[in-house]
Amino acid sequence: MIPNITRGGNTIGLVSYLLGEGRANEHTDQHIIAGTDDIVEPYGGRVLSRDEMVLVGRLLDFDRKANNTRMTGKRTCWDYDNECYRDAGEGDNHVWHVSLSLRPDEPALSDETWAKIARDFVREMGFADPNNLYDANPCRWVAVRHGVTKNGGDHLHLAVNLVRFDGSHTKVWRDYQKAQATANLLEHKYGLEILDSREHGRGSKGVQPAEQAAALREGKDLTD
């Protein structure tokens, strides 16, 4: 399972991309499968209208707005011309986005399994503990499925607002390394194909360029 991360500040833009039809109508049956309760309960499990997508974006941004909190710093976005991530300069960067991609030869997972993976992922990353009713200061988050990647790999998108319930900033230092470790843990837990290079402490160096490109193509983030 390959995690790819971007950061930006356009909450509604990202949500609208993830829950919309895509740039070339490539998204199919796009729907929310997990997330903060007041997002999932009214909007989960179905294709949303444009107005509903905007409302989901506003809910994801609610705690930041309510506390009048601003996070700024380095941002990243997807370079469509060169098919790679690039530095998007400094600016609002409270939106943390990761795509979790399986290899094309791995069988697709059910919504139920992906939802469990999503909840485990946000807990291991320290964003929220969906299984703890007493988690008093979580980040708001949402998990979206919208079909397979262009090369046929099943995948999931997670969008997290890094401003917590009380308005404080979430620390994401070394988030790439933590996401890799979390992916390894979940590969074992859910019987997914293990990335050998990561299993033996070689980071992403063992990932073939084609695998990276396939995951990156579906890691698009409309944070600008």
mmCIF file of all heavy atoms in Angstrom, residues 126-166:
data_model
loop_
_atom_site.group_PDB
_atom_site.id
_atom_site.type_symbol
_atom_site.label_atom_id
_atom_site.label_comp_id
_atom_site.label_asym_id
_atom_site.label_seq_id
_atom_site.Cartn_x
_atom_site.Cartn_y
_atom_site.Cartn_z
ATOM 1 N N GLY A 126 -2.261 9.807 14.579
ATOM 2 C CA GLY A 126 -2.486 10.736 15.678
ATOM 3 C C GLY A 126 -3.474 11.845 15.370
ATOM 4 O O GLY A 126 -3.572 12.815 16.132
ATOM 5 N N PHE A 127 -4.251 11.696 14.294
ATOM 6 C CA PHE A 127 -5.213 12.739 13.937
ATOM 7 C C PHE A 127 -6.505 12.637 14.742
ATOM 8 O O PHE A 127 -7.091 13.650 15.128
ATOM 9 C CB PHE A 127 -5.542 12.663 12.445
ATOM 10 C CG PHE A 127 -4.381 12.931 11.546
ATOM 11 C CD1 PHE A 127 -4.155 12.139 10.429
ATOM 12 C CD2 PHE A 127 -3.497 13.966 11.800
ATOM 13 C CE1 PHE A 127 -3.088 12.386 9.579
ATOM 14 C CE2 PHE A 127 -2.418 14.223 10.967
ATOM 15 C CZ PHE A 127 -2.218 13.427 9.849
ATOM 16 N N ALA A 128 -6.979 11.435 14.936
ATOM 17 C CA ALA A 128 -8.229 11.199 15.663
ATOM 18 C C ALA A 128 -8.281 9.734 16.060
ATOM 19 O O ALA A 128 -7.596 8.901 15.473
ATOM 20 C CB ALA A 128 -9.434 11.556 14.793
ATOM 21 N N ASP A 129 -9.100 9.428 17.056
ATOM 22 C CA ASP A 129 -9.310 8.036 17.452
ATOM 23 C C ASP A 129 -10.789 7.723 17.292
ATOM 24 O O ASP A 129 -11.581 7.925 18.220
ATOM 25 C CB ASP A 129 -8.863 7.802 18.898
ATOM 26 C CG ASP A 129 -8.917 6.338 19.283
ATOM 27 O OD1 ASP A 129 -9.441 5.527 18.484
ATOM 28 O OD2 ASP A 129 -8.436 5.988 20.379
ATOM 29 N N PRO A 130 -11.187 7.239 16.110
ATOM 30 C CA PRO A 130 -12.617 7.017 15.841
ATOM 31 C C PRO A 130 -13.267 6.002 16.771
ATOM 32 O O PRO A 130 -14.507 6.006 16.907
ATOM 33 C CB PRO A 130 -12.625 6.503 14.393
ATOM 34 C CG PRO A 130 -11.327 6.982 13.814
ATOM 35 C CD PRO A 130 -10.348 6.948 14.942
ATOM 36 N N ASN A 131 -12.487 5.152 17.395
ATOM 37 C CA ASN A 131 -13.050 4.123 18.274
ATOM 38 C C ASN A 131 -13.161 4.584 19.726
ATOM 39 O O ASN A 131 -13.624 3.836 20.582
ATOM 40 C CB ASN A 131 -12.204 2.852 18.206
ATOM 41 C CG ASN A 131 -12.210 2.239 16.822
ATOM 42 O OD1 ASN A 131 -13.225 2.270 16.127
ATOM 43 N ND2 ASN A 131 -11.077 1.704 16.400
ATOM 44 N N ASN A 132 -12.729 5.810 19.989
ATOM 45 C CA ASN A 132 -12.732 6.334 21.351
ATOM 46 C C ASN A 132 -13.766 7.453 21.467
ATOM 47 O O ASN A 132 -13.561 8.555 20.952
ATOM 48 C CB ASN A 132 -11.340 6.848 21.720
ATOM 49 C CG ASN A 132 -11.267 7.379 23.137
ATOM 50 O OD1 ASN A 132 -12.250 7.331 23.896
ATOM 51 N ND2 ASN A 132 -10.107 7.892 23.513
ATOM 52 N N LEU A 133 -14.854 7.168 22.144
ATOM 53 C CA LEU A 133 -15.912 8.170 22.295
ATOM 54 C C LEU A 133 -15.450 9.371 23.118
ATOM 55 O O LEU A 133 -16.087 10.428 23.103
ATOM 56 C CB LEU A 133 -17.137 7.537 22.962
ATOM 57 C CG LEU A 133 -17.838 6.428 22.172
ATOM 58 C CD1 LEU A 133 -18.974 5.838 22.998
ATOM 59 C CD2 LEU A 133 -18.361 6.953 20.846
ATOM 60 N N TYR A 134 -14.338 9.204 23.841
ATOM 61 C CA TYR A 134 -13.851 10.268 24.718
ATOM 62 C C TYR A 134 -12.675 11.034 24.108
ATOM 63 O O TYR A 134 -11.981 11.767 24.810
ATOM 64 C CB TYR A 134 -13.464 9.674 26.081
ATOM 65 C CG TYR A 134 -14.615 8.967 26.758
ATOM 66 C CD1 TYR A 134 -14.721 7.585 26.701
ATOM 67 C CD2 TYR A 134 -15.625 9.685 27.402
ATOM 68 C CE1 TYR A 134 -15.794 6.932 27.296
ATOM 69 C CE2 TYR A 134 -16.698 9.041 27.991
ATOM 70 C CZ TYR A 134 -16.773 7.668 27.933
ATOM 71 O OH TYR A 134 -17.845 7.018 28.517
ATOM 72 N N ASP A 135 -12.462 10.839 22.817
ATOM 73 C CA ASP A 135 -11.441 11.623 22.118
ATOM 74 C C ASP A 135 -11.953 13.050 22.004
ATOM 75 O O ASP A 135 -12.766 13.369 21.127
ATOM 76 C CB ASP A 135 -11.169 11.017 20.741
ATOM 77 C CG ASP A 135 -10.075 11.747 19.983
ATOM 78 O OD1 ASP A 135 -9.439 12.644 20.572
ATOM 79 O OD2 ASP A 135 -9.848 11.426 18.802
ATOM 80 N N ALA A 136 -11.495 13.907 22.909
ATOM 81 C CA ALA A 136 -12.089 15.238 23.054
ATOM 82 C C ALA A 136 -11.515 16.274 22.089
ATOM 83 O O ALA A 136 -12.075 17.361 21.956
ATOM 84 C CB ALA A 136 -11.917 15.731 24.496
ATOM 85 N N ASN A 137 -10.410 15.956 21.432
ATOM 86 C CA ASN A 137 -9.771 16.989 20.615
ATOM 87 C C ASN A 137 -9.272 16.417 19.282
ATOM 88 O O ASN A 137 -8.101 16.510 18.956
ATOM 89 C CB ASN A 137 -8.609 17.614 21.393
ATOM 90 C CG ASN A 137 -8.207 18.961 20.827
ATOM 91 O OD1 ASN A 137 -9.031 19.693 20.279
ATOM 92 N ND2 ASN A 137 -6.936 19.294 20.955
ATOM 93 N N PRO A 138 -10.173 15.844 18.492
ATOM 94 C CA PRO A 138 -9.747 15.226 17.241
ATOM 95 C C PRO A 138 -9.628 16.224 16.099
ATOM 96 O O PRO A 138 -10.131 17.355 16.173
ATOM 97 C CB PRO A 138 -10.882 14.243 16.951
ATOM 98 C CG PRO A 138 -12.096 14.964 17.496
ATOM 99 C CD PRO A 138 -11.607 15.679 18.746
ATOM 100 N N CYS A 139 -8.989 15.784 15.029
ATOM 101 C CA CYS A 139 -9.058 16.484 13.752
ATOM 102 C C CYS A 139 -10.301 16.003 13.013
ATOM 103 O O CYS A 139 -10.726 14.862 13.160
ATOM 104 C CB CYS A 139 -7.837 16.150 12.891
ATOM 105 S SG CYS A 139 -6.265 16.724 13.525
ATOM 106 N N ARG A 140 -10.867 16.878 12.206
ATOM 107 C CA ARG A 140 -11.945 16.459 11.318
ATOM 108 C C ARG A 140 -11.333 15.786 10.088
ATOM 109 O O ARG A 140 -10.293 16.227 9.587
ATOM 110 C CB ARG A 140 -12.788 17.660 10.895
ATOM 111 C CG ARG A 140 -13.683 18.170 12.015
ATOM 112 C CD ARG A 140 -14.491 19.383 11.600
ATOM 113 N NE ARG A 140 -15.531 19.633 12.596
ATOM 114 C CZ ARG A 140 -16.764 19.175 12.507
ATOM 115 N NH1 ARG A 140 -17.137 18.479 11.450
ATOM 116 N NH2 ARG A 140 -17.648 19.415 13.445
ATOM 117 N N TRP A 141 -11.998 14.729 9.594
ATOM 118 C CA TRP A 141 -11.435 13.994 8.465
ATOM 119 C C TRP A 141 -12.540 13.306 7.677
ATOM 120 O O TRP A 141 -13.656 13.145 8.155
ATOM 121 C CB TRP A 141 -10.418 12.970 8.955
ATOM 122 C CG TRP A 141 -11.002 11.866 9.820
ATOM 123 C CD1 TRP A 141 -11.350 11.961 11.138
ATOM 124 C CD2 TRP A 141 -11.326 10.532 9.420
ATOM 125 N NE1 TRP A 141 -11.865 10.761 11.590
ATOM 126 C CE2 TRP A 141 -11.856 9.862 10.551
ATOM 127 C CE3 TRP A 141 -11.218 9.832 8.217
ATOM 128 C CZ2 TRP A 141 -12.273 8.534 10.511
ATOM 129 C CZ3 TRP A 141 -11.629 8.502 8.176
ATOM 130 C CH2 TRP A 141 -12.139 7.869 9.313
ATOM 131 N N VAL A 142 -12.191 12.893 6.459
ATOM 132 C CA VAL A 142 -13.140 12.183 5.613
ATOM 133 C C VAL A 142 -12.364 11.233 4.703
ATOM 134 O O VAL A 142 -11.248 11.543 4.268
ATOM 135 C CB VAL A 142 -13.990 13.179 4.789
ATOM 136 C CG1 VAL A 142 -13.146 13.944 3.789
ATOM 137 C CG2 VAL A 142 -15.146 12.488 4.107
ATOM 138 N N ALA A 143 -12.930 10.052 4.451
ATOM 139 C CA ALA A 143 -12.339 9.052 3.559
ATOM 140 C C ALA A 143 -13.257 8.849 2.363
ATOM 141 O O ALA A 143 -14.468 8.679 2.520
ATOM 142 C CB ALA A 143 -12.140 7.731 4.296
ATOM 143 N N VAL A 144 -12.682 8.867 1.150
ATOM 144 C CA VAL A 144 -13.459 8.826 -0.085
ATOM 145 C C VAL A 144 -12.927 7.733 -1.014
ATOM 146 O O VAL A 144 -11.714 7.576 -1.182
ATOM 147 C CB VAL A 144 -13.389 10.180 -0.823
ATOM 148 C CG1 VAL A 144 -14.083 10.116 -2.175
ATOM 149 C CG2 VAL A 144 -14.009 11.287 0.031
ATOM 150 N N ARG A 145 -13.860 7.002 -1.621
ATOM 151 C CA ARG A 145 -13.523 6.079 -2.721
ATOM 152 C C ARG A 145 -14.195 6.591 -3.988
ATOM 153 O O ARG A 145 -15.326 7.067 -3.957
ATOM 154 C CB ARG A 145 -14.037 4.667 -2.436
ATOM 155 C CG ARG A 145 -13.335 3.974 -1.305
ATOM 156 C CD ARG A 145 -13.742 2.503 -1.254
ATOM 157 N NE ARG A 145 -13.116 1.735 -2.330
ATOM 158 C CZ ARG A 145 -13.459 0.482 -2.647
ATOM 159 N NH1 ARG A 145 -14.440 -0.116 -1.999
ATOM 160 N NH2 ARG A 145 -12.829 -0.158 -3.618
ATOM 161 N N HIS A 146 -13.482 6.462 -5.112
ATOM 162 C CA HIS A 146 -14.094 6.891 -6.381
ATOM 163 C C HIS A 146 -13.585 6.050 -7.550
ATOM 164 O O HIS A 146 -13.320 6.570 -8.635
ATOM 165 C CB HIS A 146 -13.890 8.391 -6.640
ATOM 166 C CG HIS A 146 -12.478 8.862 -6.615
ATOM 167 N ND1 HIS A 146 -12.132 10.146 -6.270
ATOM 168 C CD2 HIS A 146 -11.324 8.235 -6.894
ATOM 169 C CE1 HIS A 146 -10.829 10.292 -6.342
ATOM 170 N NE2 HIS A 146 -10.317 9.148 -6.739
ATOM 171 N N GLY A 147 -13.482 4.742 -7.332
ATOM 172 C CA GLY A 147 -13.066 3.859 -8.414
ATOM 173 C C GLY A 147 -11.595 3.539 -8.351
ATOM 174 O O GLY A 147 -10.882 3.922 -7.421
ATOM 175 N N VAL A 148 -11.111 2.828 -9.366
ATOM 176 C CA VAL A 148 -9.714 2.407 -9.399
ATOM 177 C C VAL A 148 -8.863 3.474 -10.074
ATOM 178 O O VAL A 148 -9.374 4.396 -10.714
ATOM 179 C CB VAL A 148 -9.557 1.064 -10.139
ATOM 180 C CG1 VAL A 148 -10.324 -0.039 -9.428
ATOM 181 C CG2 VAL A 148 -10.027 1.185 -11.592
ATOM 182 N N THR A 149 -7.542 3.342 -9.916
ATOM 183 C CA THR A 149 -6.619 4.237 -10.599
ATOM 184 C C THR A 149 -6.643 3.947 -12.101
ATOM 185 O O THR A 149 -7.221 2.959 -12.555
ATOM 186 C CB THR A 149 -5.180 4.041 -10.077
ATOM 187 O OG1 THR A 149 -4.775 2.689 -10.347
ATOM 188 C CG2 THR A 149 -5.112 4.304 -8.591
ATOM 189 N N LYS A 150 -5.985 4.782 -12.877
ATOM 190 C CA LYS A 150 -5.964 4.590 -14.326
ATOM 191 C C LYS A 150 -5.321 3.265 -14.720
ATOM 192 O O LYS A 150 -5.624 2.703 -15.768
ATOM 193 C CB LYS A 150 -5.222 5.754 -14.987
ATOM 194 C CG LYS A 150 -5.973 7.070 -14.919
ATOM 195 C CD LYS A 150 -5.194 8.181 -15.589
ATOM 196 C CE LYS A 150 -5.950 9.503 -15.507
ATOM 197 N NZ LYS A 150 -5.199 10.611 -16.116
ATOM 198 N N ASN A 151 -4.416 2.767 -13.885
ATOM 199 C CA ASN A 151 -3.768 1.491 -14.196
ATOM 200 C C ASN A 151 -4.464 0.316 -13.518
ATOM 201 O O ASN A 151 -3.979 -0.803 -13.558
ATOM 202 C CB ASN A 151 -2.285 1.532 -13.802
ATOM 203 C CG ASN A 151 -2.093 1.527 -12.300
ATOM 204 O OD1 ASN A 151 -2.981 1.953 -11.556
ATOM 205 N ND2 ASN A 151 -0.950 1.062 -11.840
ATOM 206 N N GLY A 152 -5.612 0.567 -12.877
ATOM 207 C CA GLY A 152 -6.412 -0.516 -12.343
ATOM 208 C C GLY A 152 -6.236 -0.819 -10.877
ATOM 209 O O GLY A 152 -6.787 -1.795 -10.378
ATOM 210 N N GLY A 153 -5.498 0.003 -10.141
ATOM 211 C CA GLY A 153 -5.271 -0.254 -8.728
ATOM 212 C C GLY A 153 -6.361 0.333 -7.840
ATOM 213 O O GLY A 153 -6.769 1.486 -8.026
ATOM 214 N N ASP A 154 -6.836 -0.446 -6.898
ATOM 215 C CA ASP A 154 -7.817 0.048 -5.932
ATOM 216 C C ASP A 154 -7.137 1.065 -5.013
ATOM 217 O O ASP A 154 -5.930 0.945 -4.719
ATOM 218 C CB ASP A 154 -8.351 -1.130 -5.116
ATOM 219 C CG ASP A 154 -9.612 -0.783 -4.342
ATOM 220 O OD1 ASP A 154 -10.209 0.277 -4.602
ATOM 221 O OD2 ASP A 154 -9.996 -1.583 -3.466
ATOM 222 N N HIS A 155 -7.873 2.055 -4.562
ATOM 223 C CA HIS A 155 -7.239 3.070 -3.718
ATOM 224 C C HIS A 155 -8.279 3.831 -2.891
ATOM 225 O O HIS A 155 -9.480 3.751 -3.138
ATOM 226 C CB HIS A 155 -6.419 4.052 -4.557
ATOM 227 C CG HIS A 155 -7.236 4.957 -5.422
ATOM 228 N ND1 HIS A 155 -7.963 4.523 -6.497
ATOM 229 C CD2 HIS A 155 -7.437 6.298 -5.366
ATOM 230 C CE1 HIS A 155 -8.579 5.547 -7.071
ATOM 231 N NE2 HIS A 155 -8.275 6.638 -6.398
ATOM 232 N N LEU A 156 -7.759 4.580 -1.937
ATOM 233 C CA LEU A 156 -8.568 5.376 -1.008
ATOM 234 C C LEU A 156 -7.936 6.753 -0.874
ATOM 235 O O LEU A 156 -6.715 6.898 -0.951
ATOM 236 C CB LEU A 156 -8.588 4.691 0.364
ATOM 237 C CG LEU A 156 -9.301 5.429 1.507
ATOM 238 C CD1 LEU A 156 -10.813 5.282 1.338
ATOM 239 C CD2 LEU A 156 -8.878 4.854 2.856
ATOM 240 N N HIS A 157 -8.771 7.760 -0.654
ATOM 241 C CA HIS A 157 -8.285 9.106 -0.356
ATOM 242 C C HIS A 157 -8.730 9.507 1.044
ATOM 243 O O HIS A 157 -9.885 9.298 1.420
ATOM 244 C CB HIS A 157 -8.827 10.127 -1.355
ATOM 245 C CG HIS A 157 -8.245 10.016 -2.721
ATOM 246 N ND1 HIS A 157 -7.119 10.703 -3.111
ATOM 247 C CD2 HIS A 157 -8.628 9.286 -3.801
ATOM 248 C CE1 HIS A 157 -6.836 10.425 -4.365
ATOM 249 N NE2 HIS A 157 -7.740 9.564 -4.809
ATOM 250 N N LEU A 158 -7.823 10.105 1.787
ATOM 251 C CA LEU A 158 -8.129 10.654 3.104
ATOM 252 C C LEU A 158 -7.804 12.138 3.100
ATOM 253 O O LEU A 158 -6.709 12.544 2.707
ATOM 254 C CB LEU A 158 -7.287 9.975 4.188
ATOM 255 C CG LEU A 158 -7.689 8.571 4.639
ATOM 256 C CD1 LEU A 158 -6.580 7.973 5.492
ATOM 257 C CD2 LEU A 158 -8.980 8.621 5.422
ATOM 258 N N ALA A 159 -8.759 12.951 3.550
ATOM 259 C CA ALA A 159 -8.531 14.387 3.719
ATOM 260 C C ALA A 159 -8.715 14.718 5.198
ATOM 261 O O ALA A 159 -9.736 14.363 5.793
ATOM 262 C CB ALA A 159 -9.500 15.192 2.862
ATOM 263 N N VAL A 160 -7.722 15.392 5.775
ATOM 264 C CA VAL A 160 -7.729 15.699 7.203
ATOM 265 C C VAL A 160 -7.507 17.192 7.385
ATOM 266 O O VAL A 160 -6.619 17.778 6.750
ATOM 267 C CB VAL A 160 -6.608 14.929 7.942
ATOM 268 C CG1 VAL A 160 -6.601 15.272 9.427
ATOM 269 C CG2 VAL A 160 -6.747 13.428 7.726
ATOM 270 N N ASN A 161 -8.293 17.821 8.245
ATOM 271 C CA ASN A 161 -8.035 19.204 8.610
ATOM 272 C C ASN A 161 -7.124 19.197 9.837
ATOM 273 O O ASN A 161 -7.477 18.640 10.874
ATOM 274 C CB ASN A 161 -9.330 19.958 8.913
ATOM 275 C CG ASN A 161 -9.123 21.457 8.901
ATOM 276 O OD1 ASN A 161 -8.211 21.965 9.549
ATOM 277 N ND2 ASN A 161 -9.963 22.171 8.173
ATOM 278 N N LEU A 162 -5.965 19.808 9.714
ATOM 279 C CA LEU A 162 -4.961 19.755 10.764
ATOM 280 C C LEU A 162 -5.234 20.692 11.931
ATOM 281 O O LEU A 162 -4.466 20.727 12.892
ATOM 282 C CB LEU A 162 -3.572 20.056 10.175
ATOM 283 C CG LEU A 162 -3.080 19.033 9.142
ATOM 284 C CD1 LEU A 162 -1.752 19.493 8.546
ATOM 285 C CD2 LEU A 162 -2.937 17.650 9.762
ATOM 286 N N VAL A 163 -6.332 21.443 11.871
ATOM 287 C CA VAL A 163 -6.761 22.258 13.010
ATOM 288 C C VAL A 163 -7.738 21.423 13.842
ATOM 289 O O VAL A 163 -8.767 20.983 13.346
ATOM 290 C CB VAL A 163 -7.425 23.568 12.562
ATOM 291 C CG1 VAL A 163 -7.936 24.344 13.773
ATOM 292 C CG2 VAL A 163 -6.443 24.420 11.768
ATOM 293 N N ARG A 164 -7.427 21.218 15.099
ATOM 294 C CA ARG A 164 -8.225 20.355 15.960
ATOM 295 C C ARG A 164 -9.461 21.079 16.501
ATOM 296 O O ARG A 164 -9.638 22.279 16.286
ATOM 297 C CB ARG A 164 -7.365 19.818 17.105
ATOM 298 C CG ARG A 164 -6.260 18.889 16.638
ATOM 299 C CD ARG A 164 -5.513 18.263 17.802
ATOM 300 N NE ARG A 164 -4.463 17.373 17.343
ATOM 301 C CZ ARG A 164 -4.639 16.084 17.064
ATOM 302 N NH1 ARG A 164 -5.835 15.538 17.221
ATOM 303 N NH2 ARG A 164 -3.638 15.339 16.646
ATOM 304 N N PHE A 165 -10.263 20.336 17.231
ATOM 305 C CA PHE A 165 -11.516 20.839 17.793
ATOM 306 C C PHE A 165 -11.315 22.125 18.588
ATOM 307 O O PHE A 165 -12.132 23.043 18.527
ATOM 308 C CB PHE A 165 -12.137 19.760 18.674
ATOM 309 C CG PHE A 165 -13.369 20.197 19.416
ATOM 310 C CD1 PHE A 165 -14.596 20.259 18.770
ATOM 311 C CD2 PHE A 165 -13.311 20.553 20.755
ATOM 312 C CE1 PHE A 165 -15.741 20.668 19.444
ATOM 313 C CE2 PHE A 165 -14.443 20.966 21.443
ATOM 314 C CZ PHE A 165 -15.666 21.020 20.778
ATOM 315 N N ASP A 166 -10.212 22.202 19.368
ATOM 316 C CA ASP A 166 -9.976 23.381 20.204
ATOM 317 C C ASP A 166 -9.224 24.488 19.479
ATOM 318 O O ASP A 166 -8.872 25.502 20.085
ATOM 319 C CB ASP A 166 -9.236 22.987 21.489
ATOM 320 C CG ASP A 166 -7.816 22.508 21.225
ATOM 321 O OD1 ASP A 166 -7.399 22.406 20.040
ATOM 322 O OD2 ASP A 166 -7.094 22.224 22.207
#
